[in-house]
Amino acid sequence: MKETIQHRWRSGPLSSLLSLLTLCASTTLLYSPELLAASSNKETLISAFKSYKEGTYIKALENLSLIQKDKDPLVMGNKEYLKGIIYNRLLRYEEAIASFLKAKKLGFKIEDYFYELGQAYYANNDLFKARASFTKSYDKGFNKKVSLYYMAHISQILEDYKKAKDYYT
């Protein structure tokens, strides 16, 4: 399998995430080994994000595996969330779901979380959980039209025609 998979980059939550990570990494004061490790983790996370953005998903996962346990839940949440996104792109849906759920358990929040989780559940044919995730995405206002379409389409597949009709209309 070719390591580089072309992915059309779009601006949005992940793009602003890179800016936040860059700011955090550049403003860390290195007074102790613990802070040095935290800074190194942030830099590694930024490097992984850049690899993801370039479409080199395997390299991004390799970078993410280098991130040590970090006291900053933002770093660990970002790590798991980015792993979930990458696993989705690599069609490794069970691993994507597990990473997304770990990110949420760490308190990580980003506007496209439920949409991306719904995509993984849908591709993994876990339709009830997919519909629930797309419903949360819709309720939170993220990608409303597409989320609503998935809610309707999944309801139709599940032969819940009343819900499907309600969602379609």
Side-chain angles (χ1 to χ4, degrees), residues 15-51:
S15 181
S16 58
L17 177 63
L18 178 60
S19 299
L20 172 66
L21 290 172
T22 303
L23 177 65
C24 289
S26 65
T27 58
T28 301
L29 298 175
L30 305 176
Y31 290 125
S32 70
E34 186 177 89
L35 286 175
L36 180 60
S39 175
S40 175
N41 284 343
K42 289 175 185 174
E43 289 172 11
T44 303
L45 188 58
I46 291 167
S47 177
F49 180 79
K50 287 178 181 176
S51 294

Side-chain angles (χ1 to χ4, degrees), residues 44-117:
T44 303
L45 188 58
I46 291 167
S47 177
F49 180 79
K50 287 178 181 176
S51 294
Y52 161 76
K53 187 175 175 183
E54 294 166 357
T56 53
Y57 300 144
I58 302 303
K59 183 179 177 186
L61 286 173
E62 289 169 355
N63 282 332
L64 290 172
S65 72
L66 298 174
I67 294 177
Q68 305 163 10
K69 193 79 171 163
D70 197 300
K71 289 184 178 184
D72 184 351
L74 181 63
V75 170
M76 299 309 291
N78 272 301
K79 172 187 174 182
E80 292 302 327
Y81 175 78
L82 187 53
K83 280 174 52 178
I85 294 291
I86 293 167
Y87 285 137
N88 252 358
R89 301 307 181 264
L90 292 172
L91 312 180
R92 293 165 55 180
Y93 302 115
E94 288 182 18
E95 292 164 289
I97 292 165
S99 291
F100 286 136
L101 295 176
K102 284 180 191 174
K104 184 174 184 196
K105 189 175 182 178
L106 290 164
F108 185 74
K109 296 179 183 176
I110 195 164
E111 67 179 353
D112 68 342
Y113 173 82
F114 288 107
Y115 181 82
E116 293 292 346
L117 180 62

Side-chain angles (χ1 to χ4, degrees), residues 1-15:
M1 177 186 225
K2 190 174 178 184
E3 179 183 318
T4 302
I5 300 173
Q6 292 301 319
H7 176 70
R8 187 173 176 190
W9 182 250
R10 62 181 196 259
S11 61
L14 288 176
S15 181

